Amino acid sequence: MPEFKHKDIIALRDLTRGDMELLLKTAESMREINSREIKKVPTLRGKTIINLFYESSTRTRTSFEIAGKRLSADTVNITPSSSSATKGETLADTALNLLAMKPDIIVMRHSVSGSHYFLSKKLPNCSIINAGDGTHEHPSQGLLDMLTIRDHFGRLDSLKVAIIGDITHSRVARSNIQGLTKMGSEVFLAGPPTMMPPGAAKLGNVTVCKNIKEAIADADVVMMLRIQQERQGKTLMPNAREYSRYFGLNPENLKLARPGAMVMHPGPINRGVEMSSYVVDGAQSHILRQVENGVAVRMSMLYHVCGGEIE
Amino acid sequence: MNLFIRGGRVVDPGQNIDEILDIRIENGVITETGKNLEPLSGSEVIDAAGKYAVPGLIDMHVHLRDPGFEYKEDIITGSLAAARGGFTSVACMPNTNPVIDNKAVAGYITNKAKSHGFCNVYPVGCITHGMGGERLSEMGELKEAGCVAVSDDGKPVKNAELMRRALEYAKGIGIPVIAHSEDISLVGEGVMNEGFTSTEIGLKGIPRVAEEIAVARDVMLAEYTQSPIHIAHLSTGGGVRIIREAKARGVKVTAETAPHYFILTDDAVRGYNTNAKMNPPLREACDVEAVREGLRDGTIDCIATDHAPHHLDEKDIEFDAALNGIIGLESSLPLSLALVDDGILTFNQLIEKMSCNPARILGLDRGTLKRGAIADITLIDTLAEWVFETGQLASKSMNSPFFGCKMKGAAFATILGGRVVYRIDRLAGK
């Protein structure tokens, strides 16, 4: 079995195709555990995992917590409202204090891109897993999306994947672009030009499309991104109504995709904005499969950064 | 105390001198420059064979952080850093605490520099009262108190009418205006240049046009009011082009850039390197090329450092939270000398941009080796090879992207009013 040589998982940009294949393969075997009646194995017994969430999150934090618990690790959650962040303690000091309690893994979400690299340098003996950093990457989301796509198509190469929305501010888009293009698929981006970062086409095997129709046409996968009124509201778009008319996914424009194309969304969904409810709840939606795979993928990530040792 | 500099290659652009000469200094003043002079008895003699002797270098854009932020730098350490970098004069920006918008703060700086400093320190006063961007500062009093220019550096004057009035008023007073030209609304929450690198590493971008729009506005206001204006820390190709065109029309605009803008691109930010975070941000290769061309064709008049010391605690943190700026006084000379090696500037032109032009723009009686001039002289060893390391700094702060870089060229000696304030060969281990 190939080895996973990384102490941390911060960005899919840092991983090879082989690394990602290993993580996905392990995730598949983890999924078997999740379907048992007793959903717990002793793999990480005695390991301590701290979930340090500087940004609010329900899905990702819960998913990491369940993943750790199913592997028998001790998991502790720290969120900003109850943490030292409000007392003016620096990230480095918080981390060093936590380190003094000897955790094996810190799973962090932080609003500043690259803060995990900073943390990793400060904590050479602790594994760092990125649960989302600013507008940089969200590797566990990228991996769970890839697992969901592979479940459906049996492969991750030679697929046409459309990613639609605010590419500039999306860490989900960056992780998926890195992962999917390394696996041999082609990514088509669309969104208002106000949300398309310069040089996006140079991120890999990526095409920037003029409109959503061009991106969806013959796509195997249509991945919609969350539009956040609080972030994009002021100058990047007129309002949700216009956004949904020109950049939203609905049963009509979904017909442009390949028959049976997958519809995905990292959540939480703004129904009626980036996606119509008919699509969210429709037959082509894989959104809840994504969530389900999230636990397995995160179990795999925790397992591999711990050296992949099975007791 | 008299001084005699023997056998240096004297380069004085103002007098069109470039030959091996001796310099005789009496009571802090250059009394004679010529071949085969003899020192007055009792003079200290410096053998400058193989070295260049040039008018003392002038950095017209530094932050000495004193008063208010002495944990980053103060007038003593900052002026020592200047002397070690070959600078005999610096102009320090007013974003201190309190800001330099009154006689008392300006006087504190000039007095402390005179009694304890290692170079001439000229304060730059605020354009607006309290640097608040709302009403004019007392520029007349600031000038009387020793300020050589006004600027709201770091906080551009947003209101165009106020900037217009500032230019008009300053022209009447006879004090130059230094513009930090940046449109804050376009900067937004940006922390680095907007380009492919920011896209890839997911940091919020600052577009070039944030600088270019503001340079255009400020140049147009200067043209309309027929007032001089000096544009600080030019970083973009568009900014260079706007100034080139304005100069061709006869607008009284001058401009400076800093070594990092003609050497580094935003690639230096990769790895979330906070020592490559500054404002304006490092741009792309085409901008570096344009800035170098602007230096070459004379569009850019000066090389300043924008020496911006920050404490480790303000840099060794998450990228978005890190403060903008890098130190520059102790690395500027070798980094700028590379322009001569690269054929962008002649040595003579380099000295113009690092001494004569800043003196002219700020109206200083320096930047020359004429008989009767104050003996501010820098001796440069253009062949000295060394590595820029944190251990040797005079500055209190260690924020630079150039640590570990091999440097070629150094100040051999820095002479301030006829007094040797720094000599490389007196350093331990050198």
Side-chain angles (χ1 to χ4, degrees):
Chain A
M1 193 166 176
E3 251 187 294
F4 189 78
K5 293 198 180 94
H6 304 271
K7 169 179 95 73
D8 309 316
I9 301 176
I10 298 178
L12 297 190
R13 186 157 45 99
D14 303 334
L15 301 186
T16 62
R17 182 175 176 155
D19 292 331
M20 291 187 283
E21 275 167 356
L22 179 60
L23 285 164
L24 294 176
K25 186 166 177 246
T26 307
E28 281 178 342
S29 50
M30 293 296 180
R31 202 156 47 189
E32 185 270 320
I33 297 166
N34 291 333
S35 59
R36 294 182 195 169
E37 194 173 335
I38 309 277
K39 304 180 190 63
K40 205 175 184 82
V41 290
T43 312
L44 295 185
R45 197 171 61 188
K47 302 282 185 189
T48 304
I49 301 170
I50 296 177
N51 292 321
L52 180 60
F53 276 64
Y54 281 90
E55 280 187 335
S56 63
S57 153
T58 310
R59 187 183 333 255
T60 307
R61 205 205 61 214
T62 309
S63 184
F64 267 112
E65 189 178 355
I66 290 173
K69 288 190 162 145
R70 289 197 177 153
L71 293 171
S72 300
D74 297 305
T75 62
V76 182
N77 295 324
I78 302 174
T79 52
S81 51
S82 61
S83 79
S84 306
T86 45
K87 296 175 198 158
E89 189 177 58
T90 66
L91 171 61
D93 280 335
T94 302
L96 289 170
N97 277 281
L98 293 175
L99 189 66
M101 302 177 207
K102 310 243 182 303
D104 300 283
I105 304 173
I106 293 179
V107 177
M108 183 170 81
R109 169 169 288 191
H110 198 282
S111 61
V112 178
S113 301
S115 48
H116 295 74
Y117 292 105
F118 171 76
L119 195 67
S120 177
K121 271 183 226 157
K122 298 282 172 196
L123 308 180
N125 299 315
C126 178
S127 287
I128 309 293
I129 292 181
N130 182 3
D133 64 326
T135 52
H136 176 225
E137 280 215 36
H138 192 350
S140 64
Q141 182 72 43
L143 289 165
L144 73 88
D145 289 342
M146 286 155 68
L147 182 60
T148 310
I149 295 169
R150 200 171 71 174
D151 286 345
H152 187 74
F153 288 106
R155 65 174 203 274
L156 280 170
D157 59 346
S158 314
L159 295 171
K160 178 183 172 181
V161 181
I163 303 179
I164 292 154
D166 183 355
I167 309 298
T168 303
H169 297 102
S170 178
R171 52 196 179 207
V172 175
R174 278 181 184 72
S175 285
N176 269 299
I177 290 168
Q178 288 295 330
L180 289 165
T181 59
K182 275 184 193 168
M183 290 295 186
S185 281
E186 208 178 344
V187 172
F188 291 76
L189 303 175
T194 49
M195 302 179 188
M196 193 61 68
K202 289 191 282 173
L203 287 171
N205 190 359
V206 173
T207 305
V208 177
C209 302
K210 283 199 279 295
N211 54 51
I212 178 169
K213 286 180 184 170
E214 201 179 302
I216 297 177
D218 299 321
D220 298 297
V221 180
V222 181
M223 195 180 284
M224 303 303 294
L225 301 174
R226 174 176 166 75
I227 282 294
Q228 285 165 287
Q229 288 284 301
E230 63 274 20
R231 178 173 282 160
Q232 291 96 350
K234 282 184 187 162
T235 56
L236 301 187
M237 66 182 205
N239 55 29
R241 178 174 173 268
E242 170 126 334
Y243 186 87
S244 74
R245 285 187 62 194
Y246 289 89
F247 300 98
L249 187 66
N250 52 51
E252 275 311 301
N253 57 20
L254 182 56
K255 284 181 193 152
L256 297 168
R258 290 238 168 100
M262 298 175 76
V263 170
M264 302 174 75
H265 191 292
I269 302 166
N270 293 299
R271 286 177 183 258
V273 184
E274 64 265 17
M275 286 175 94
S276 107
S277 279
Y278 296 110
V279 179
V280 176
D281 303 325
Q284 287 169 265
S285 171
H286 290 256
I287 295 170
L288 294 176
R289 282 288 292 161
Q290 292 175 267
V291 180
E292 188 187 336
N293 279 334
V295 175
V297 156
R298 288 169 181 128
M299 287 167 81
S300 166
M301 293 167 83
L302 295 170
Y303 170 77
H304 281 293
V305 294
C306 272
E309 302 154 26
I310 296 174
E311 200 174 318
Chain B
M1 180 67 207
N2 298 329
L3 190 65
F4 187 80
I5 301 167
R6 193 194 299 275
R9 181 166 164 189
V10 176
V11 172
D12 184 12
Q15 298 186 86
N16 245 332
I17 294 177
D18 179 358
E19 57 182 318
I20 291 170
L21 299 171
D22 303 322
I23 304 172
R24 190 183 284 150
I25 296 154
E26 294 171 57
N27 300 317
V29 170
I30 297 171
T31 50
E32 196 160 5
T33 305
K35 281 189 201 298
N36 304 318
L37 302 181
E38 282 306 316
L40 296 176
S41 62
S43 291
E44 180 184 348
V45 177
I46 299 180
D47 176 11
K51 315 290 188 288
Y52 284 84
V54 304
L57 304 182
I58 300 171
D59 185 346
M60 66 181 296
H61 192 139
V62 304
H63 298 268
L64 296 185
R65 308 299 191 203
D66 186 358
F69 306 100
E70 295 86 350
Y71 67 95
K72 302 178 195 237
E73 192 80 287
D74 61 37
I75 288 166
I76 301 168
T77 56
S79 64
L80 182 59
R84 292 178 68 158
F87 294 96
T88 53
S89 297
V90 298
C92 61
M93 287 295 164
N95 57 345
T96 46
N97 185 18
V99 296
I100 311 175
D101 70 346
N102 62 69
K103 205 181 200 168
V105 180
Y108 160 80
I109 291 167
T110 49
N111 288 337
K112 186 167 177 183
K114 266 179 203 143
S115 53
H116 296 94
F118 293 88
C119 72
N120 305 304
V121 176
Y122 296 101
V124 174
C126 295
I127 293 175
T128 63
H129 175 78
M131 233 169 154
E134 294 196 339
R135 60 190 167 93
L136 297 179
S137 65
E138 295 167 79
M139 294 183 196
E141 180 170 290
L142 287 170
K143 190 182 179 192
E144 265 178 48
C147 290
V148 293
V150 287
S151 179
D152 276 5
D153 185 58
K155 249 175 133 184
V157 179
K158 273 194 275 186
N159 181 327
E161 200 256 340
L162 186 61
M163 190 63 175
R164 170 209 169 156
R165 298 304 178 196
L167 288 164
E168 288 173 340
Y169 189 82
K171 184 188 182 188
I173 298 284
I175 192 165
V177 174
I178 300 174
H180 172 120
S181 300
E182 186 182 34
D183 185 312
I184 292 299
S185 66
L186 283 166
V187 173
E189 293 175 345
V191 294
M192 71 169 292
N193 178 59
E194 181 177 281
F196 178 64
T197 304
S198 68
T199 293
E200 195 170 33
I201 69 177
L203 288 173
K204 294 195 183 82
I206 301 173
R208 290 184 183 88
V209 73
E211 171 172 298
E212 293 160 358
I213 277 190
V215 169
R217 181 201 77 166
D218 291 339
V219 162
M220 289 166 90
L221 289 172
E223 183 170 22
Y224 185 73
T225 60
Q226 299 186 16
S227 307
I229 193 166
H230 177 79
I231 308 293
H233 44 54
L234 207 55
S235 71
T236 60
V240 174
R241 178 173 47 77
I242 291 162
I243 290 167
R244 182 180 294 126
E245 289 164 2
K247 281 189 166 184
R249 285 201 304 279
V251 182
K252 286 181 266 181
V253 56
T254 53
E256 75 191 27
T257 191
H260 38 280
Y261 299 121
F262 59 74
I263 295 170
L264 299 176
T265 66
D266 60 2
D267 261 336
V269 179
R270 286 182 187 277
Y272 305 90
N273 177 9
T274 57
N275 278 335
K277 182 180 179 184
M278 61 275 287
N279 189 29
L282 296 174
R283 306 286 182 182
E284 294 175 75
C286 56
D287 299 289
V288 171
E289 273 317 300
V291 167
R292 290 165 82 88
E293 177 58 22
L295 284 163
R296 195 195 62 75
D297 73 6
T299 301
I300 300 174
D301 306 86
C302 308
I303 297 170
T305 64
D306 198 359
H307 181 78
H310 287 301
H311 194 271
L312 188 66
D313 291 346
E314 297 160 330
K315 280 293 195 184
D316 190 23
I317 48 177
E318 309 93 282
F319 196 87
D320 288 6
L323 296 183
N324 282 314
I326 62 167
I327 55 170
L329 283 166
E330 294 173 78
S331 52
S332 177
L333 178 57
L335 295 174
S336 302
L337 276 166
L339 292 171
V340 178
D341 281 348
D342 294 346
I344 308 287
L345 298 177
T346 63
F347 187 82
N348 193 77
Q349 287 167 331
L350 180 73
I351 300 310
E352 283 181 334
K353 293 188 198 295
M354 294 186 77
S355 181
C356 315
N357 294 346
R360 175 173 49 79
I361 292 163
L362 298 176
L364 307 181
D365 54 350
R366 303 182 191 269
T368 172
L369 299 177
K370 270 187 192 149
R371 179 185 296 203
I374 300 163
D376 284 359
I377 302 170
T378 303
L379 301 184
I380 300 173
D381 179 352
T382 54
L383 302 175
E385 292 189 21
W386 53 292
V387 177
F388 188 48
E389 285 165 323
T390 51
Q392 70 210 157
L393 289 176
S395 176
K396 277 185 194 173
S397 291
M398 299 186 291
N399 49 317
S400 169
F402 294 111
F403 289 125
C405 290
K406 280 186 191 163
M407 299 284 186
K408 190 175 166 211
F412 175 74
T414 307
I415 296 155
L416 181 68
R419 191 165 54 95
V420 180
V421 288
Y422 168 70
R423 242 182 103 153
I424 196 168
D425 54 357
R426 286 184 191 159
L427 270 183
K430 252 320 213 182

